[in-house]
Amino acid sequence: MDERILQFIRALRATGVRVSVAESADALRAVEQVGVMDRETFKAALRTALVKEARAIPIFEELFPLFFGLGEPPMMPATGGLSPRDQRLLQQALQALARLFGPQMAELLRRLLEGQPFTPEELQALARYAGSRHIREWADRQALARWMQRGAGLDERLEEMLRALLRMLAEAGMDANTLRQLEERMRANRAALVRQIQQAAGMSALERLAERPPEPSEAELLERPFHALTPTDLHRMRQMVARLAARLRTRAALRMKRGDGRRLDAKATLRANLRHAGVPFDLRFRRRHLKPRLVVLCDLSTSVRHCSEFFLHLIYLLQDQISRTRSFVFIDDLREITPIFAEERPEEAVRRVLRENPPGYYNTDLGTSLATFCRSHLDALDRKTTVIIVGDGRNNYNDPRLDCFEVIRRRAKRILWFNPEPRALWGTGDSDMLLYAPLCAAVHQVQNLAELTEAIDRLFERGGA
């Protein structure tokens, strides 16, 4: 039983439930105390030891019967109690249906009549046929079960064949009560076969998931390049962004608290103390204003889309540390998204922005986007504004419009560039990064979420941006 419990724990981990070594040991000790004779007590002991989050309860409830169920779904012969005459009519009908629907479907119908479950070898063959090797997530088991049912013939073809059988037996003169009992037993056996396939699909999915390498830790995900992220990685990292933003917010608030002390204003002090013959009895101070003003230009082309997504999330979760932000996105031209973030929460706003700005095929045009900004949005800049550009600087050999970039640089406090490409690729192919970089106050490589977080953290250093 201990080995079965350990298999169950591995299955929980494979489906995303966090179970520590200590909790595994607690589960084994709990079962040792309560035993396995009372199924509900045994189940409660395991759940108490292994489940610590509400989201894990449905997974536990679904997996428990797979490992500690009541055996195979019950099946019983549907032909019990039939008279010799009715059995002869049934055999004749089956022979006729085999000619109409084929021998494979007739064999399945015979299995329902005899109450014969699938063998383990048959279930394994069905799982291979249905593509169990393509299992990537626990939710994939449902699609696997559907394909296994189709492969076994447990679909509309069987229903059509069952109705045909009942019709033929009724026309041959079988009693109505006998027909009803026969139908009820066959349908019960069919439901049992479906449950058997669902259980087999679940176990097959668990086996495939258990073969996967363990999920990377959060620290490993932070260091993983954006271009190497899987859909599962992206989902986990989106959940991490709020925690990263809270950490950045705390750091920024502490810096501002330390940096909010007054500094001596020499000119104001001298003016205020002229009446004291210049003796500085009355000191005057000035305060530092640390909150940065930002203008953000984010490239949403395919190559940098995830970097921009996480950047927008982080910036808008840090709004209480930023004096003012105006945000723009671009692919082939510029679009302001500030109103979207004013109307919706950051998560919904980012999803909407990505949905409304789908990437195209080699259509990035940063030069045109810079020209649009200079033509329509220069009012967003003043000498206190930091401009942040998030992108790889690739322009599909279009005009980089360095003249527009220079206009932006002169009007703003400074320009920072966050580039998710490795530095070795800057200036290669259609990259204009080496043309833009000398005009920037700083260029940060942000290949992963750790580097992106560090770059944003620097906005709040040394008096802010």
Side-chain angles (χ1 to χ4, degrees), residues 263-456:
R263 294 190 302 171
L264 181 68
D265 189 332
K267 293 181 180 179
T269 297
L270 289 174
R271 286 195 299 269
N273 288 279
L274 289 175
R275 62 182 180 274
H276 304 303
V279 179
F281 287 110
D282 185 8
L283 300 181
R284 298 297 171 90
F285 298 89
R286 58 186 177 186
R287 293 185 179 275
R288 298 170 65 190
H289 300 283
L290 299 180
K291 287 189 176 182
R293 297 180 182 178
L294 300 181
V295 166
V296 174
L297 280 67
C298 276
D299 185 353
L300 290 186
S301 59
T302 303
S303 57
V304 294
R305 196 171 184 84
H306 293 312
C307 174
S308 297
E309 173 189 346
F310 290 123
F311 174 81
L312 291 173
H313 268 295
L314 286 168
I315 285 296
Y316 277 88
L317 288 171
L318 291 167
Q319 284 300 292
D320 56 342
Q321 304 300 328
I322 298 173
S323 176
R324 183 181 63 200
T325 303
R326 286 183 66 178
S327 295
F328 303 82
V329 296
F330 66 89
I331 299 179
D332 57 345
D333 203 355
L334 196 73
R335 178 191 174 194
E336 183 167 9
I337 60 170
T338 308
I340 297 178
F341 280 90
E343 296 168 4
E344 303 182 30
R345 293 181 58 81
E347 296 80 5
E348 289 78 11
V350 169
R351 281 196 292 268
R352 176 179 167 187
V353 168
L354 295 176
R355 183 176 62 253
E356 294 180 359
N357 295 272
Y361 182 75
Y362 290 104
N363 61 339
T364 306
D365 193 340
L366 176 55
T368 295
S369 302
L370 293 172
T372 299
F373 184 89
C374 288
R375 183 171 59 252
S376 305
H377 302 292
L378 282 180
D379 61 313
L381 303 178
D382 59 30
R383 298 304 300 169
K384 298 180 180 180
T385 304
T386 291
V387 177
I388 300 178
I389 300 178
V390 183
D392 54 12
R394 294 195 174 274
N395 206 23
N396 290 310
Y397 301 102
N398 294 310
D399 185 350
R401 295 305 303 266
L402 296 178
D403 55 327
C404 296
F405 201 84
E406 178 64 27
V407 170
I408 295 171
R409 187 187 69 83
R410 288 199 304 268
R411 291 181 67 100
K413 179 180 180 180
R414 63 176 178 173
I415 299 178
L416 306 177
W417 197 301
F418 295 176
N419 192 327
E421 271 197 341
R423 290 181 182 272
L425 297 180
W426 296 0
T428 63
D430 64 338
S431 171
D432 292 323
M433 195 63 226
L434 296 183
L435 300 177
Y436 293 120
L439 302 177
C440 299
V443 179
H444 301 290
Q445 177 181 281
V446 290
Q447 284 190 271
N448 51 52
L449 192 53
E451 293 179 347
L452 179 60
T453 304
E454 181 182 358
I456 293 176

Side-chain angles (χ1 to χ4, degrees), residues 140-332:
D140 293 342
R141 75 199 182 283
Q142 297 171 346
L144 178 64
R146 288 195 297 270
W147 280 105
M148 288 175 67
Q149 291 176 39
R150 182 176 292 275
L154 294 170
D155 53 17
E156 62 277 358
R157 294 174 297 167
L158 180 59
E159 179 63 28
E160 181 183 354
M161 192 174 182
L162 181 56
R163 288 197 300 267
L165 173 65
L166 296 172
R167 185 173 60 253
M168 293 172 67
L169 293 175
E171 292 173 353
M174 184 175 285
D175 179 68
N177 288 333
T178 303
L179 276 174
R180 184 173 62 255
Q181 292 177 2
L182 183 66
E183 180 181 6
E184 289 175 353
R185 292 173 182 175
M186 292 181 69
R187 291 193 181 280
N189 286 342
R190 176 185 179 181
L193 290 180
V194 170
R195 290 196 301 274
Q196 191 184 11
I197 281 181
Q198 290 172 343
Q199 291 179 0
M203 293 302 295
S204 181
L206 290 173
E207 291 171 2
R208 297 295 301 179
L209 293 175
E211 294 173 359
R212 296 187 312 179
E215 286 190 345
S217 65
E218 289 194 358
E220 292 172 328
L221 275 182
L222 285 172
E223 301 292 339
R224 180 165 293 183
F226 289 114
H227 65 81
L229 295 174
T230 67
T232 302
D233 294 338
L234 289 172
H235 177 70
R236 288 184 62 197
M237 289 177 67
R238 291 185 184 106
Q239 296 175 331
M240 293 164 53
V241 164
R243 296 196 297 275
L244 291 173
R247 197 179 309 158
L248 291 174
R249 188 184 298 112
T250 300
R251 290 179 188 169
L254 288 173
R255 289 194 191 106
M256 291 178 185
K257 185 175 181 180
R258 289 195 297 267
D260 200 28
R262 297 176 301 170
R263 294 190 302 171
L264 181 68
D265 189 332
K267 293 181 180 179
T269 297
L270 289 174
R271 286 195 299 269
N273 288 279
L274 289 175
R275 62 182 180 274
H276 304 303
V279 179
F281 287 110
D282 185 8
L283 300 181
R284 298 297 171 90
F285 298 89
R286 58 186 177 186
R287 293 185 179 275
R288 298 170 65 190
H289 300 283
L290 299 180
K291 287 189 176 182
R293 297 180 182 178
L294 300 181
V295 166
V296 174
L297 280 67
C298 276
D299 185 353
L300 290 186
S301 59
T302 303
S303 57
V304 294
R305 196 171 184 84
H306 293 312
C307 174
S308 297
E309 173 189 346
F310 290 123
F311 174 81
L312 291 173
H313 268 295
L314 286 168
I315 285 296
Y316 277 88
L317 288 171
L318 291 167
Q319 284 300 292
D320 56 342
Q321 304 300 328
I322 298 173
S323 176
R324 183 181 63 200
T325 303
R326 286 183 66 178
S327 295
F328 303 82
V329 296
F330 66 89
I331 299 179
D332 57 345

Side-chain angles (χ1 to χ4, degrees), residues 69-135:
L70 300 176
E72 294 181 344
M75 297 182 68
M76 60 182 298
T79 56
L82 290 183
S83 66
R85 173 180 175 274
D86 289 339
Q87 291 184 6
R88 187 171 58 254
L89 293 177
L90 182 59
Q91 291 302 319
Q92 292 173 353
L94 287 175
Q95 292 173 3
L97 290 172
R99 291 191 293 270
L100 291 173
F101 291 89
Q104 182 179 0
M105 291 302 298
E107 179 59 30
L108 177 60
L109 195 59
R110 191 181 300 277
R111 185 188 294 268
L112 295 184
L113 288 166
E114 296 175 357
Q116 179 185 356
F118 292 115
T119 65
E121 293 74 20
E122 288 174 326
L123 291 171
Q124 291 173 4
L126 285 172
R128 288 194 299 270
Y129 166 79
S132 59
R133 65 185 181 278
H134 299 303
I135 291 290

